[in-house]
Amino acid sequence: QVQLVESGGGLVQAGGSLRLSCAASGRTASNYDMAWFRQAPGKEREFVAWIRWSGGITYYADSVKGRFTISRDNAKNTVYLQMNSLKPEDAAVYYCGARTPVTGRPVYTRSEYDHWGQGTQVTVSS
C-alpha cells in the first residue's frame, strides 16, 4: 500500500500561480507512475497530468498544456504540480494518484489508478 497526502491548495487570483505537493509514504516513490486529477462540484474527476516512475516523460491534458508542470523528487517521495496562469475553470479539488507502471504509454484514465490522496482545494477568483 501507499499513502498519499496532497497539500498546497488555496485561494489565488486568476493569472496567479500555485504549487501543489503530493507526499507519498509506505513505498519507494520511484516504483510507481504518478498523476494529478481534479474534480469540480458536479463534475467527474478528470485527468490533469502524468509522470512516469523514472521521471522525464510526462503527459498533460490539453486544457493545462503550457500552464501546468508535473515533476517529482524521488529522494523526498514527493510529486509536484506547478500551476501557472490559473483560470477560474481550474478551480477544483486536486487529487494525486499512483499505480504500477504501464509499458509504452501514459496512464490518464481515472479507473486505472488504485491509490488516491484526500485532495486539496484550489479556488481561483476572477
Side-chain angles (χ1 to χ4, degrees):
Q1 290 185 327
V2 60
Q3 293 77 48
L4 306 173
V5 179
E6 302 95 336
S7 62
L11 174 64
V12 64
Q13 291 186 343
S17 297
L18 210 58
R19 189 177 78 158
L20 307 182
S21 298
C22 176
S25 62
R27 65 162 181 115
T28 300
S30 61
N31 292 150
Y32 297 90
D33 284 4
M34 301 291 293
W36 287 95
F37 287 72
R38 66 188 182 187
Q39 187 168 18
K43 295 185 178 293
E44 296 293 318
R45 189 172 301 185
E46 67 174 356
F47 169 77
V48 176
W50 166 90
I51 186 166
R52 195 172 183 175
W53 67 270
S54 56
I57 301 175
T58 58
Y59 182 78
Y60 297 91
D62 288 342
S63 60
V64 305
K65 283 182 179 178
R67 299 189 298 120
F68 291 10
T69 302
I70 186 171
S71 62
R72 65 192 303 165
D73 185 343
N74 286 343
K76 298 180 179 179
N77 287 342
T78 301
V79 177
Y80 304 96
L81 184 68
Q82 178 66 47
M83 305 185 294
N84 298 327
S85 301
L86 282 162
K87 304 175 180 179
E89 52 263 43
D90 295 319
V93 177
Y94 282 71
Y95 299 89
C96 63
R99 65 151 292 132
T100 55
V102 175
T103 301
R105 66 176 177 89
V107 181
Y108 52 84
T109 302
R110 177 175 57 85
S111 63
E112 294 185 282
Y113 286 84
D114 52 358
H115 298 97
W116 297 96
Q118 84 291 343
T120 185
Q121 176 71 53
V122 173
T123 303
V124 184
S125 63
S126 59

